[in-house]
């Protein structure tokens, strides 16, 4: 009987992990001006771009949540979006940059931005599937034109 209980618990834990996925953006700084084609113009500023790609043959409904550096929730009330099959989308997490000279385009502009602040962290999650369904990276572009990027780890 003890073995049956242990196997049942392990099965439920494994099944629970298979029914959701998430990616975590540990840090971004997005205080560059808009309309500059993604390259900030002022010293000490940076443009951040979160990019995610749906690797499956089905659309995925994603939820994004944001936190400031002090842990304050900066998530908008409407914080979901659909990512079409085999498609990628890139957006600036703190500003909407879809106007003239903007860098997001309509798809990126449709992703909800954080409600306050210009730096922090983000979590992108989705029901069903696994964390392998969506791959992502975050990039920071500096006024010098230099950039850095890293792949997004699986979220909590």
């Amino acid at each position: 009987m003890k073995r049956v209980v242990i196997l049942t618990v392990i099965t439920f834990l494994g099944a629970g992990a298979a029914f959701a996925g998430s990616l975590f953006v540990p840090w971004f700084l997005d205080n560059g001006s808009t309309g500059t084609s993604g390259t900030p113009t002022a010293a000490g500023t940076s443009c951040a771009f979160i990019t995610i790609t749906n690797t499956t043959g089905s659309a995925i409904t994603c939820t994004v949540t944001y936190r400031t550096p002090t842990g304050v929730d900066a998530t908008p009330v409407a914080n979901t979006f659909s990512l079409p099959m085999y498609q990628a989308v890139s957006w600036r997490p703190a500003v909407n940059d879809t106007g003239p000279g903007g860098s997001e385009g309509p798809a990126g502009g449709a992703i909800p931005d954080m409600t306050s602040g210009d730096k922090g962290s983000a979590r992108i999650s989705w029901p069903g599937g696994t964390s392998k369904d969506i791959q992502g990276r975050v990039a920071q572009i500096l006024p010098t034109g230099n950039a850095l990027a890293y792949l997004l780890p699986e979220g909590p």
Side-chain angles (χ1 to χ4, degrees), residues 57-105:
S58 301
I60 297 176
T61 299
C62 299
T63 302
V64 62
T65 55
Y66 297 104
R67 297 263 179 213
T68 67
T70 57
V72 175
D73 186 2
T75 305
V77 173
N79 65 334
T80 61
F81 60 95
S82 181
L83 187 58
M85 65 179 184
Y86 304 119
Q87 296 292 309
V89 66
S90 182
W91 76 97
R92 293 185 60 186
V95 298
N96 187 318
D97 195 7
T98 58
S103 55
E104 287 184 305

Side-chain angles (χ1 to χ4, degrees), residues 27-44:
W27 176 256
F28 62 83
L29 173 61
D30 191 20
N31 62 353
S33 57
T34 60
T36 61
S37 298
T39 302
T41 55

